[in-house]
Amino acid sequence: MKFNSLLLALLSGILLWLGWPTSGFAGLLLVAFVPLLIVERRLRLYETRRAAGKVFLFSYLSFFIWNMATTYWLYFSTPFGMWFAVLVNTALMSLVFLGYHLLARKATQGAALTFLACLWISFERLHLDWEFSWPWLNLGNGFSETTSWIQWYEYTGTFGGSLWIWLVNIFVFLSVLRFRPELPQDKLPLKKMESKIISKRQFIIKRVAVLLALVIVPILISQIISYSNFEINKGGGTQVVIVQPNIDPYSEKYYITNDSIVSHITNLALPLTDQFTDLIITPETVLADNIKLTNLDRLEYNRAVNQLRLSLLDYPNVNYLGGVSITEIVRDSAQMNPQTNLYRDGRTLYNDYNSAMFLKARDSLKIYHKSKLVVGVENFPYKSVLQPILGDAMLDLGGTVSTKTIQEDRTVFEMNNSAKVAPVICYESVYGEYVSDYVKNGATFLAIITNDAWWGNTQGHKQHLSLARLRAIENRRWIARSANTGISAIIDHQGNIKQSLGYEEEGAIQGSIRPRSGMTFYTTHGDYIARIASLMGLFILLFSVFRRGKMKRK
């Protein structure tokens, strides 16, 4: 039995891997947990010693395969960060499965499976909110390459996809459990054998019919929603030029002056810019040579910024959006915040920003600071607790030993043509409810600026682009995406990639996007499925514990 359990655990891990974007087939996710659920049931019913430990180990094997095979590319940016993310995330997933096993000992199978789905979704919600945030493998993200299946994300967000995966997996698992003869068939009388075969055939037909409904109906609903959101291309819209400078972050990016970068990006953008162009977009931290200021208002007078502004004078209707690295030297307490850093001299305080800069030829500059940060590289999780223990070990992973300063609200920039653009910076695009806050603040389209070159030509940058498609569906907003080395793209409100520029290609995209108003159900209500799941999970847990305590008193 141990060997069979090992094979089943391996099978679950492989199915999760082969079902993940961008090289997998998402349909496999709908059955990927079934082998592991069978392993857990066997251990619960037939193992009397150390069953919980074995459940944890077998689930750890499954989830390690999934995490490692799909996010190995983190190694190219930070080996320590990759191993930390893989090992810790695998352990957290295994603890969720262990929690299901422990409750299943005390509750009915149906209650325990409901608890598992609720607990997993609650775990995914935790990954969106806590300081070790890593929602990359939240199950609903698995459909990012099959957007025709999940147009209903405008109502549910990605947690609708997570719920769908668990519903189908649980149904298939329960069907497997029920498809077992009570007695060996060779000991049954002929008439009983015939009756049992007919009964079994009817059972299979009914189960297959329900399974097909569980899989096909959501896809059909998605097709209906897609048809209702179809837009005929009438021309017009907002004209954008998306720049992809293709600068290596390891050997070039931080060794080139901002003046040189401005010359480079304008040489790429201006040949495609004309009197109809509304917006030029450049990547995250494209001005990477840290601009040191005593006050953020002084950014307006920086030489590279003025060089950019001068390049737009011949195009008075053009707006510019791009990334910039800023260091603000703290002179008084009003400038301090929870992320303020201390220089190695032990005296000088400063705020470190990864920001988006928005400017027009003849108007004041506006700025937004990235606020969903990459763990370990841009922020120090639970800094007050961990820094005395680890020093700068957590931050010294990506060429920096400082914590980025964030802002509370989502800034939206208004363009000359009255369209409103959301400056979504890199990792922020992974967070559904977070991006929806831009739309609540009036954004009529999204601009994602990013630098995905840290991971090389791996699945990393492909998955990041793919996840952006989910944000388009959730909010029914077009997306203009500028990536340093690619993949830059224009994505429509149904998650379809309309134009793109391949990885490690230097150049620019000239295209049209269609600003849209109105808010979807998901934009308005956010991750309500996760909140409901958390409450249900807590209720099932308390009910099971109370019920067991009551039985003991009897």
Side-chain angles (χ1 to χ4, degrees), residues 429-459:
S429 64
V430 182
Y431 296 81
E433 195 172 63
Y434 184 91
V435 172
S436 294
D437 285 341
Y438 288 105
V439 180
K440 288 180 180 179
N441 286 345
T444 55
F445 73 97
L446 311 177
I448 297 175
I449 60 175
T450 184
N451 177 21
D452 296 344
W454 301 108
W455 315 314
N457 194 3
T458 64
Q459 283 293 308

Side-chain angles (χ1 to χ4, degrees), residues 126 129-133 379-388:
L126 172 69
D129 296 330
W130 72 326
E131 293 190 28
F132 279 108
S133 178
N379 82 322
F380 200 136
Y382 304 107
K383 185 175 182 179
S384 61
V385 176
L386 295 180
Q387 190 171 39

Side-chain angles (χ1 to χ4, degrees), residues 54-259:
K54 292 176 182 177
V55 167
F56 182 84
L57 290 175
F58 279 120
S59 60
Y60 197 95
L61 174 62
S62 298
F63 299 140
F64 177 80
I65 293 170
W66 178 25
N67 277 263
M68 189 67 183
T70 54
T71 59
Y72 70 91
W73 40 266
L74 287 168
Y75 182 88
F76 295 97
S77 171
T78 161
F80 173 82
M82 185 276 286
W83 285 112
F84 183 86
V86 168
L87 296 176
V88 173
N89 201 45
T90 299
L92 293 172
M93 290 177 172
S94 302
L95 286 173
V96 170
F97 213 76
L98 178 60
Y100 156 68
H101 167 75
L102 295 175
L103 187 97
R105 291 173 168 180
K106 306 173 184 180
T108 63
Q109 183 72 77
L113 288 169
T114 304
F115 177 74
L116 172 59
C118 291
L119 185 61
W120 189 281
I121 290 172
S122 299
F123 158 69
E124 291 187 341
R125 183 188 178 193
L126 172 69
H127 254 335
L128 292 170
D129 296 330
W130 72 326
E131 293 190 28
F132 279 108
S133 178
W134 177 238
W136 205 273
L137 295 185
N138 282 10
L139 289 173
N141 293 339
F143 298 107
S144 62
E145 286 294 291
T146 52
T147 53
S148 61
W149 293 11
I150 44 91
Q151 291 297 311
W152 35 267
Y153 272 22
E154 70 167 282
Y155 296 98
T156 69
T158 58
F159 285 110
S162 299
L163 181 60
W164 187 28
I165 288 171
W166 276 115
L167 285 175
V168 178
N169 272 278
I170 288 171
F171 178 81
V172 173
F173 170 63
L174 291 175
S175 299
V176 170
L177 292 188
R178 293 193 62 183
F179 185 63
R180 295 187 304 174
E182 294 176 4
L183 295 169
Q185 290 186 8
D186 59 352
K187 293 183 180 181
L188 290 171
L190 181 59
K191 288 185 178 180
K192 286 189 176 181
M193 286 180 64
E194 291 175 350
S195 175
K196 196 165 188 65
I197 290 170
I198 293 171
S199 177
K200 189 183 295 184
R201 187 181 300 136
Q202 291 174 341
F203 170 80
I204 292 173
I205 291 171
K206 289 180 180 178
R207 288 281 164 162
V208 169
V210 175
L211 176 61
L212 289 175
L214 282 173
V215 174
I216 293 174
V217 169
I219 296 175
L220 289 177
I221 292 172
S222 178
Q223 298 300 314
I224 294 170
I225 294 173
S226 178
Y227 180 77
S228 68
N229 278 286
F230 179 75
E231 290 182 348
I232 298 174
N233 187 1
K234 299 179 181 178
T238 293
Q239 306 303 310
V240 297
V241 173
I242 302 169
V243 177
Q244 185 168 297
N246 194 32
I247 301 170
D248 190 307
Y250 292 105
S251 61
E252 298 178 89
K253 186 178 176 72
Y254 297 96
Y255 304 97
I256 303 176
T257 65
N258 288 338
D259 291 348

Side-chain angles (χ1 to χ4, degrees), residues 180-467:
R180 295 187 304 174
E182 294 176 4
L183 295 169
Q185 290 186 8
D186 59 352
K187 293 183 180 181
L188 290 171
L190 181 59
K191 288 185 178 180
K192 286 189 176 181
M193 286 180 64
E194 291 175 350
S195 175
K196 196 165 188 65
I197 290 170
I198 293 171
S199 177
K200 189 183 295 184
R201 187 181 300 136
Q202 291 174 341
F203 170 80
I204 292 173
I205 291 171
K206 289 180 180 178
R207 288 281 164 162
V208 169
V210 175
L211 176 61
L212 289 175
L214 282 173
V215 174
I216 293 174
V217 169
I219 296 175
L220 289 177
I221 292 172
S222 178
Q223 298 300 314
I224 294 170
I225 294 173
S226 178
Y227 180 77
S228 68
N229 278 286
F230 179 75
E231 290 182 348
I232 298 174
N233 187 1
K234 299 179 181 178
T238 293
Q239 306 303 310
V240 297
V241 173
I242 302 169
V243 177
Q244 185 168 297
N246 194 32
I247 301 170
D248 190 307
Y250 292 105
S251 61
E252 298 178 89
K253 186 178 176 72
Y254 297 96
Y255 304 97
I256 303 176
T257 65
N258 288 338
D259 291 348
S260 298
I261 291 293
V262 169
S263 297
H264 182 53
I265 60 178
T266 52
N267 286 339
L268 293 173
L270 293 184
L272 299 179
T273 303
D274 55 32
Q275 68 270 28
F276 301 108
T277 304
D278 296 300
L279 180 65
I280 296 172
I281 308 173
T282 60
E284 174 189 22
T285 60
V286 69
L287 300 183
D289 189 4
N290 218 303
I291 299 175
K292 293 182 174 58
L293 306 165
T294 55
N295 191 304
L296 292 179
D297 293 338
R298 301 296 300 172
L299 181 63
E300 188 89 46
Y301 307 103
N302 178 264
R303 187 171 66 181
V305 173
N306 278 316
Q307 188 178 341
L308 261 175
R309 195 189 296 275
L310 287 171
S311 70
L312 301 178
L313 286 176
D314 293 333
Y315 309 95
N317 294 321
V318 171
N319 308 267
Y320 169 87
L321 174 64
V324 58
S325 292
I326 308 169
T327 296
E328 179 189 33
I329 306 301
V330 174
R331 298 298 190 194
D332 60 66
S333 58
Q335 294 173 292
M336 293 185 65
N337 59 70
Q339 297 88 35
T340 297
N341 302 279
L342 181 66
Y343 268 118
R344 295 188 184 277
D345 62 12
R347 298 188 306 274
T348 307
L349 296 172
Y350 68 100
N351 296 322
D352 193 17
Y353 297 95
N354 179 349
S355 304
M357 178 177 65
F358 183 80
L359 60 84
K360 305 174 183 179
R362 296 179 176 86
D363 203 350
S364 59
L365 178 148
K366 296 179 177 61
I367 201 161
Y368 163 75
H369 306 304
K370 182 179 181 181
S371 300
K372 277 292 186 182
L373 305 177
V374 179
V375 177
V377 177
E378 293 181 317
N379 82 322
F380 200 136
Y382 304 107
K383 185 175 182 179
S384 61
V385 176
L386 295 180
Q387 190 171 39
I389 301 171
L390 300 177
D392 289 327
M394 282 295 295
L395 279 172
D396 201 9
L397 303 175
T400 179
V401 289
S402 61
T403 299
K404 302 296 182 184
T405 294
I406 62 174
Q407 66 178 63
E408 291 298 323
D409 298 323
R410 307 287 73 77
T411 300
V412 173
F413 300 130
E414 185 169 358
M415 296 167 43
N416 287 322
N417 66 353
S418 298
K420 295 181 179 180
V421 56
V424 185
I425 303 178
C426 190
Y427 194 46
E428 293 179 334
S429 64
V430 182
Y431 296 81
E433 195 172 63
Y434 184 91
V435 172
S436 294
D437 285 341
Y438 288 105
V439 180
K440 288 180 180 179
N441 286 345
T444 55
F445 73 97
L446 311 177
I448 297 175
I449 60 175
T450 184
N451 177 21
D452 296 344
W454 301 108
W455 315 314
N457 194 3
T458 64
Q459 283 293 308
H461 74 272
K462 297 175 184 177
Q463 291 174 4
H464 198 198
L465 167 67
S466 190
L467 293 176

